[in-house]
Amino acid sequence: MPEYAPFGLGTAGVSERSFVAADEARGRTFPIDLWQPARADTGTRCPLVVFSHCSGGSRRSAAYLCGHLASHGYLIAAMDHSEVVASELAPGPDETATQRASRVDAIIASRVPDVRFLIDHVLAAGLNVDADRIGLAGHSFGGWTALAVPEQDARIGAVVAMGPGGGSNPLPGILPLELTFAWGRDIPVLYLAAADDVPVPLAAVRELFGRTPGSPRMFVLQRADHQHFFDDVEGEHEALRAMTLPGDAAWIPAAMRPVSELCSGAEAHEFVRGLTLAHFDATLRQSEAAARFLAGDAAAALAARGVDAAEYRGC
């Protein structure tokens, strides 16, 4: 039997397409990208994974991950969220603190409906998708989104949350997100955290891990910051360090280490691609090989590929 290998590209090839979808109930039009297998198994419907981007990101923030999953037989859907497309959610020129707080509340309230709309749209589009195998993956605000959607949508079968918001004590300038974990069932969750994450510290992700029902897993990438989940790790990291952020977030750039002191984008991508695929294979596909890989020494498999990571097992 061949050894389970979640790190390399799959054999299905990848086909990409872009389109827009109108949510008439909310008067919003969303750009959407799909990554799907170019060569799907005959008679087999693809599991669906929705990717949710961070605040200030876009639907292509983690194309490296979306393409990887598609090459292994998943259909991946990602949208630009409401705060990107809705003019009423953009800041005004003379916005007061009260107006900003109201706008932020509206942005947060839009996230779960966004994902539910996207799932509905994909399932209604006649694509080769298995409606009984749906997963969510997201980064930062998107990681919070992936954890929040199951509170309102029973279709979700697995979640991967990368540096998610939602901790009880967000740092200044970080969105005040809350999670109840009121899912009514256990959902397999994989947390991926960065050891040197400035805006969402490792302790905050550990808190969420400890509050998660069931038996979540969590892996920590060493010498990594919040931007290590992006496509262009080095570019995004140094661009943020060079920014002057407004208000309460002004402290963030100066607190970040130079990317030359952190692990490479290539290492981060190995970490995210391999563990995310293994989690969805084990949960959505019920792959025994993937489950054994995660239950074994996945950190050693990463180390063999030059990636310094560790599994967090709680207190």
Side-chain angles (χ1 to χ4, degrees):
M1 180 180 296
E3 182 180 359
Y4 180 69
F7 300 104
L9 282 174
T11 60
V14 180
S15 173
E16 295 186 33
R17 56 180 290 212
S18 300
F19 58 94
V20 297
D23 182 347
E24 296 181 359
R26 293 187 292 167
R28 296 173 187 172
T29 299
F30 296 97
I32 296 169
D33 279 4
L34 294 181
W35 292 258
Q36 55 195 119
R39 296 180 297 278
D41 293 337
T42 303
T44 301
R45 292 189 175 275
C46 302
L48 169 64
V49 173
V50 169
F51 174 77
S52 178
H53 65 74
C54 66
S55 177
S58 77
R59 65 193 185 279
R60 299 194 66 86
S61 291
Y64 74 95
L65 172 62
C66 297
H68 184 74
L69 295 175
S71 79
H72 285 271
Y74 291 82
L75 189 147
I76 316 303
M79 71 194 315
D80 283 353
H81 276 288
S82 281
E83 70 268 18
V84 179
V85 305
S87 59
E88 66 271 21
L89 298 180
D94 300 310
E95 186 176 60
T96 65
T98 299
Q99 289 170 332
R100 182 183 185 281
S102 178
R103 180 174 59 82
V104 168
D105 286 345
I107 288 172
I108 295 170
S110 292
R111 278 294 181 117
V112 171
D114 285 356
V115 172
R116 299 190 72 189
F117 168 78
L118 178 54
I119 293 172
D120 290 344
H121 188 84
V122 170
L123 294 182
L127 300 170
N128 188 38
V129 175
D130 186 345
D132 294 323
R133 295 188 293 172
I134 300 176
L136 301 179
H139 170 222
S140 193
F141 191 12
W144 172 87
T145 304
L147 293 165
V149 170
E151 297 178 8
Q152 299 183 33
D153 199 318
R155 296 173 294 184
I156 308 308
V159 168
V160 175
M162 306 171 224
S168 60
N169 294 297
L171 294 174
I174 304 303
L175 289 172
L177 305 170
E178 296 180 0
L179 288 165
T180 68
F181 294 101
W183 298 336
R185 66 200 191 283
D186 288 346
I187 298 173
V189 177
L190 173 67
Y191 288 97
L192 299 180
D196 297 294
D197 195 317
V198 169
V200 182
L202 180 56
V205 185
R206 286 175 173 167
E207 178 206 322
L208 294 180
F209 174 89
R211 292 172 52 205
T212 305
S215 302
R217 290 188 183 277
M218 177 171 164
F219 288 86
V220 181
L221 180 61
Q222 304 300 324
R223 296 172 29 253
D225 202 341
H226 202 63
Q227 277 61 44
H228 276 73
F229 298 102
F230 276 93
D231 254 22
D232 179 10
V233 170
E234 287 83 0
E236 293 282 354
H237 184 89
E238 288 304 309
L240 182 55
R241 285 186 70 232
M243 286 183 184
T244 300
L245 298 181
D248 291 344
W251 64 274
I252 293 175
M256 297 167 63
R257 294 165 58 186
V259 76
S260 59
E261 298 179 4
L262 302 173
C263 77
S264 70
E267 293 169 67
H269 288 180
E270 286 278 274
F271 172 80
V272 174
R273 285 190 300 235
L275 292 174
T276 299
L277 176 62
H279 181 68
F280 285 138
D281 279 351
T283 55
L284 298 182
R285 284 185 163 143
Q286 300 297 306
S287 165
E288 293 183 3
R292 286 195 299 270
F293 172 83
L294 290 170
D297 197 348
L302 285 161
R305 302 181 70 86
V307 179
D308 186 5
E311 183 171 4
Y312 174 73
R313 300 181 183 273
C315 299

